Amino acid sequence: MQDIGIVVPQCASFDSPLTLKSGAVLDAYQLVYETYGELNEAKSNAVLICHALSGNHHVAGFHSEDPKSAGWWNNMVGPGKPIDTGVFFVIGVNNLGGCHGSTGPASIDPKTGRPYGASFPVLTVDDWVESQARLADRLGIGAFAAVVGGSLGGMQALQWAISHPQRVRHVLAIASAPNLTVQNIAFNDVARQAILTDPDFHGGNFYAHGVIPKRGLRLARMLGHITYLSDDSMAKKFGRGLKKGSYNYGYDVEFEIESYLRYQGDKFAAQFDANTYLLMTKALDYFDPAHAHEGDLARAFAGAASEFLVISFTSDWRFSPARSREIVKALLDNELKVSHTEITSSYGHDSFLMVDEHYHAVVRAYMRNVAKGAA
Amino acid sequence: MQDIGIVVPQCASFDSPLTLKSGAVLDAYQLVYETYGELNEAKSNAVLICHALSGNHHVAGFHSEDPKSAGWWNNMVGPGKPIDTGVFFVIGVNNLGGCHGSTGPASIDPKTGRPYGASFPVLTVDDWVESQARLADRLGIGAFAAVVGGSLGGMQALQWAISHPQRVRHVLAIASAPNLTVQNIAFNDVARQAILTDPDFHGGNFYAHGVIPKRGLRLARMLGHITYLSDDSMAKKFGRGLKKGSYNYGYDVEFEIESYLRYQGDKFAAQFDANTYLLMTKALDYFDPAHAHEGDLARAFAGAASEFLVISFTSDWRFSPARSREIVKALLDNELKVSHTEITSSYGHDSFLMVDEHYHAVVRAYMRNVAKGAA
């Protein structure tokens, strides 16, 4: 089992206006993406990987010799890996509104010559799927063998089945949900308020002030991080361990978990765009395919024609197994083909990014069947 | 069943130095408190109520004709109520370091003539118990019939049994824990970082600047609030309800939960002291009676001589029933008398403040037995 090696991002520019769910229009935009493996002659082996809140197009392989430059799902995607790049032509794309190369709030608005900032429109999962469909057109891909995603990525995969039933043969929705619970929305709002009320946010136009709202972004990330882990996995990794061995009775780092979270927060705040963070959390909040059908999720999937693999993780309390079961129920109500696995894992929501023998075996087996249909 | 009516806080000043767990010394301090009911001749019917993070001495009764001026546990404490002020002499005290009248960071340091601010020492649950013991001395109370508390208040009640085994006949530890989980510490640290990094915090000396770190305190409260509720109770109360009926695709309030949380955050930030909030969360983090006994909680209670009532709530994910069972186990290991109830409730950690028939019946029955021993 080898890695893909060094990969180079590509860029696609689109100059026909994209009308968004909100009614706003993006006149032109670019998407940065990576591909791994070869598109077959029938163009039937393409797999789209959708990323979650802080992910990007760099799914697999490396950007340099530095092992730290590995893609965020390098354990899942590669030659001989569960999503086998020896078999599939895999595409990772940075979502519109992102901060890794695709057009987003930090990009220059050609109309003003300045960063979009606050004027960048709010995006939804539907909008992302439309922008991804245009990328598929550009690459000559009529239908994906599979669209795959975890968390917010899983929501995009599900939306593909709703928006473009004929363009996606298989959907893999991992650690996902048919919408956010109110508790999830609440956590998102605290994170957003941390950013929005940071004096360095300047109403979203901080670029012009030469500052970044790093306090707010740091808090948002610290909070998010707690909710991606399970109480158990934190207990195993950190427990009540003390950084200096004894209590210091002050506000410096006391427990190891504090050191870890602050480090993660600082690192993230230095490299992620605050406006993109806001956008991503809003897209999560808005996703709710049942909303247009009086809350009836089954009706939302009435036009779907894909086959589905739905995976959840026992310790995931943000996108709990119960939420995946709601998806499965709605799909079965439509007599769609669904495989469903609940993986026993202690890593919380982050489990979908981890190596777990059973989890990877399930994806591997499922993708082997996808390959048969794509041959 | 009547209420206590209008109550008037009292104040006790102490001028013998109090050496704190941290090694710091408070030369003098005052405690504000309220009492309800009459101390009997034998002084055997006194009950101390310990408050949680944002509570205070105003446990029951009213400060004015305004029904909103009711004490925070007015449903539990009063004539004919589960903690019956017709039977018991009940004391509520604002913890040292508080912001409701007891000496705290916002108080004037007599040495400087300015608010203590950052120079106010970090406090622990042990310190609170010592300060409360001095108040008991002042009131001529040798031993409490019961010390009662929920959450952080329950930790104080437990510490009473450890620090002063002969001075507390019964301990009621409700929705409490033998220490915080690492997840709880993590949430506390995010809340603290929100305050500490608020530019208006000024290293804790914001009083001199005529500002308060309301952004940070607001975020801390919003986050705390989420964790005091259960996902279910939030879903029942708010669901994914929209404030204006439809999506607005912007950063103003979209969902009702956002409106609620921001309102709660704003209200709290306007009235609570940021330094006190920091202090309270640190006291929570530090509480860990097993720490001095190689993690053996049973040994921590080896000297205890009280009887115990331990209550937990099924939907409380911050101080879960499992944590109460740890307390019960450690007490039973010492052959102490323990009553233990797990109440089925959907209100999360806040359940201990709510009216629940079964919960109140258990406390009522237990306190009736306490009364027999106190007669």
Side-chain angles (χ1 to χ4, degrees):
Chain A
M1 189 161 90
Q2 293 197 321
D3 285 315
I4 292 168
I6 303 286
V7 293
V8 179
Q10 302 171 67
C11 190
S13 294
F14 301 86
D15 55 10
S16 54
L18 183 69
T19 300
L20 305 170
K21 194 87 176 170
S22 66
V25 176
L26 260 181
D27 287 335
Y29 60 95
Q30 67 173 31
L31 294 177
V32 64
Y33 65 100
E34 290 181 4
T35 68
Y36 324 109
E38 299 293 329
L39 188 61
N40 62 13
E41 214 164 315
K43 299 189 174 179
S44 63
N45 69 334
V47 172
L48 176 67
I49 310 283
C50 303
H51 70 72
L53 202 156
S54 60
N56 56 43
H57 56 288
H58 183 38
V59 174
F62 298 82
H63 279 171
S64 69
E65 297 297 327
D66 183 358
K68 285 186 180 162
S69 75
W72 57 267
W73 224 4
N74 197 49
N75 61 40
M76 182 67 89
V77 176
K81 296 189 183 181
I83 299 176
D84 189 345
T85 52
V87 174
F88 295 106
F89 175 65
V90 178
I91 304 168
V93 56
N94 184 214
N95 281 4
L96 198 54
C99 55
H100 290 90
S102 292
T103 300
S107 305
I108 300 298
D109 179 354
K111 283 186 193 148
T112 65
R114 292 192 302 273
Y116 285 97
S119 73
F120 197 85
V122 167
L123 292 165
T124 65
V125 168
D126 303 54
D127 299 327
W128 284 331
V129 168
E130 291 319 302
S131 69
Q132 290 158 1
R134 289 189 178 187
L135 179 63
D137 294 342
R138 181 72 54 89
L139 298 174
I141 297 161
F144 284 107
V147 177
V148 184
S151 187
L152 177 55
M155 290 174 165
Q156 294 162 63
L158 292 169
Q159 187 62 45
W160 263 95
I162 295 169
S163 298
H164 297 287
Q166 303 308 322
R167 299 193 72 175
V168 51
R169 288 193 292 273
H170 294 269
V171 165
L172 282 73
I174 305 172
S176 195
N179 62 24
L180 288 195
T181 65
V182 60
Q183 188 187 65
N184 274 331
I185 295 173
F187 279 127
N188 277 348
D189 198 49
V190 175
R192 281 192 295 266
Q193 290 296 309
I195 292 168
L196 292 164
T197 64
D198 185 327
D200 286 337
F201 183 65
H202 295 287
N205 297 315
F206 51 87
Y207 316 99
H209 294 78
V211 292
I212 55 172
K214 57 177 182 295
R215 282 174 294 237
L217 199 50
R218 174 178 181 266
L219 290 169
R221 182 59 168 186
M222 288 176 73
L223 172 54
H225 213 91
I226 298 173
T227 69
Y228 305 147
L229 303 175
S230 71
D231 197 4
D232 272 359
S233 65
M234 288 173 93
K236 266 181 216 150
K237 190 167 176 183
F238 304 103
R240 291 179 49 94
L242 297 169
K243 193 71 183 170
K244 291 171 189 164
S246 62
Y247 291 162
N248 300 296
Y249 300 106
Y251 296 107
D252 288 341
V253 164
E254 191 81 91
F255 294 91
E256 283 171 10
I257 184 65
E258 297 173 311
S259 170
Y260 174 78
L261 280 181
R262 296 183 199 178
Y263 172 78
Q264 294 293 337
D266 287 335
K267 197 175 76 167
F268 188 75
Q271 64 193 30
F272 205 85
D273 181 77
N275 282 311
T276 292
Y277 198 89
L278 294 174
L279 272 179
M280 292 281 168
T281 63
K282 287 301 271 189
L284 276 162
D285 287 7
Y286 289 132
F287 181 73
D288 187 12
H291 186 66
H293 304 278
E294 287 86 42
D296 185 345
L297 188 63
R299 280 173 52 204
F301 285 106
S306 315
E307 298 181 28
F308 293 81
L309 173 62
V310 178
I311 299 179
S312 62
F313 300 91
T314 49
S315 58
D316 184 351
W317 58 281
R318 266 202 98 164
F319 290 73
S320 72
R323 306 310 316 279
S324 279
R325 288 194 288 269
E326 289 178 43
I327 297 168
V328 171
K329 167 81 166 62
L331 297 172
L332 291 176
D333 283 345
N334 286 293
E335 299 179 4
L336 291 159
K337 281 194 187 168
V338 190
S339 299
H340 174 218
T341 301
E342 189 175 316
I343 305 285
T344 301
S345 166
S346 64
Y347 294 103
H349 188 52
D350 268 356
S351 298
F352 85 90
L353 297 168
M354 307 289 192
V355 175
D356 174 279
E357 201 179 345
H358 182 194
Y359 166 40
H360 276 205
V362 167
V363 174
R364 182 184 297 277
Y366 191 88
M367 290 305 292
R368 210 169 275 154
N369 281 327
V370 173
K372 280 181 194 160
Chain B
M1 188 161 87
Q2 294 197 320
D3 285 314
I4 293 168
I6 303 286
V7 292
V8 179
Q10 302 171 65
C11 191
S13 293
F14 301 86
D15 55 11
S16 54
L18 183 69
T19 300
L20 305 171
K21 193 87 175 170
S22 65
V25 176
L26 260 181
D27 287 335
Y29 60 94
Q30 68 173 31
L31 293 178
V32 65
Y33 66 100
E34 290 181 4
T35 69
Y36 324 109
E38 299 294 327
L39 188 60
N40 63 13
E41 215 163 315
K43 299 189 173 178
S44 62
N45 70 333
V47 171
L48 176 67
I49 309 283
C50 303
H51 70 73
L53 202 157
S54 60
N56 55 43
H57 56 287
H58 182 39
V59 174
F62 297 83
H63 279 172
S64 71
E65 297 296 328
D66 183 358
K68 284 186 183 164
S69 75
W72 58 267
W73 224 4
N74 197 48
N75 61 40
M76 182 67 89
V77 176
K81 295 190 183 181
I83 298 176
D84 189 345
T85 53
V87 174
F88 295 105
F89 175 65
V90 179
I91 304 168
V93 56
N94 184 214
N95 281 4
L96 197 56
C99 55
H100 290 89
S102 293
T103 301
S107 305
I108 300 297
D109 179 354
K111 283 186 192 148
T112 64
R114 292 193 302 274
Y116 284 96
S119 73
F120 197 85
V122 168
L123 292 165
T124 65
V125 168
D126 304 54
D127 299 327
W128 285 331
V129 168
E130 291 318 302
S131 69
Q132 290 159 358
R134 288 189 178 186
L135 179 63
D137 294 341
R138 180 73 52 90
L139 299 173
I141 297 161
F144 284 107
V147 177
V148 185
S151 187
L152 177 56
M155 290 174 166
Q156 294 163 63
L158 293 170
Q159 187 62 44
W160 263 95
I162 295 170
S163 297
H164 297 288
Q166 302 309 322
R167 299 194 70 175
V168 50
R169 287 193 293 273
H170 293 269
V171 165
L172 282 74
I174 305 171
S176 195
N179 61 25
L180 288 194
T181 64
V182 60
Q183 188 188 63
N184 274 330
I185 295 173
F187 279 128
N188 278 348
D189 198 49
V190 175
R192 281 192 295 266
Q193 289 296 310
I195 293 169
L196 293 165
T197 64
D198 185 327
D200 286 337
F201 182 66
H202 294 287
N205 298 314
F206 50 88
Y207 316 100
H209 294 79
V211 293
I212 54 172
K214 58 178 181 295
R215 282 174 292 237
L217 200 49
R218 173 177 183 267
L219 291 170
R221 182 60 166 186
M222 290 175 73
L223 172 55
H225 213 91
I226 299 173
T227 69
Y228 305 148
L229 305 174
S230 72
D231 197 6
D232 272 0
S233 65
M234 287 173 94
K236 267 181 216 151
K237 191 167 178 184
F238 304 102
R240 290 180 50 95
L242 297 170
K243 191 74 184 171
K244 292 170 189 164
S246 64
Y247 291 163
N248 300 296
Y249 300 106
Y251 296 107
D252 288 341
V253 164
E254 191 82 89
F255 294 91
E256 284 171 9
I257 183 65
E258 296 172 311
S259 171
Y260 174 79
L261 280 182
R262 295 183 201 180
Y263 171 78
Q264 294 293 337
D266 287 336
K267 196 173 76 168
F268 188 76
Q271 64 193 29
F272 205 86
D273 181 76
N275 282 312
T276 291
Y277 198 88
L278 294 175
L279 272 179
M280 294 281 168
T281 63
K282 287 302 271 187
L284 276 162
D285 287 6
Y286 289 132
F287 182 72
D288 187 12
H291 186 66
H293 304 277
E294 287 87 42
D296 185 345
L297 188 63
R299 280 172 54 202
F301 284 107
S306 314
E307 297 181 28
F308 293 81
L309 174 62
V310 178
I311 299 179
S312 61
F313 300 91
T314 49
S315 58
D316 184 350
W317 57 280
R318 265 201 97 163
F319 290 72
S320 72
R323 306 312 314 279
S324 279
R325 289 195 288 270
E326 288 178 45
I327 297 169
V328 170
K329 166 81 167 62
L331 297 172
L332 291 177
D333 283 344
N334 287 293
E335 298 180 4
L336 290 159
K337 282 193 187 170
V338 189
S339 298
H340 175 217
T341 302
E342 188 174 317
I343 305 286
T344 301
S345 167
S346 64
Y347 294 104
H349 188 52
D350 268 356
S351 298
F352 83 92
L353 297 167
M354 307 290 193
V355 175
D356 173 278
E357 203 178 345
H358 182 195
Y359 166 40
H360 275 204
V362 166
V363 175
R364 182 183 297 277
Y366 191 88
M367 290 306 291
R368 209 170 275 155
N369 281 326
V370 172
K372 281 181 193 161

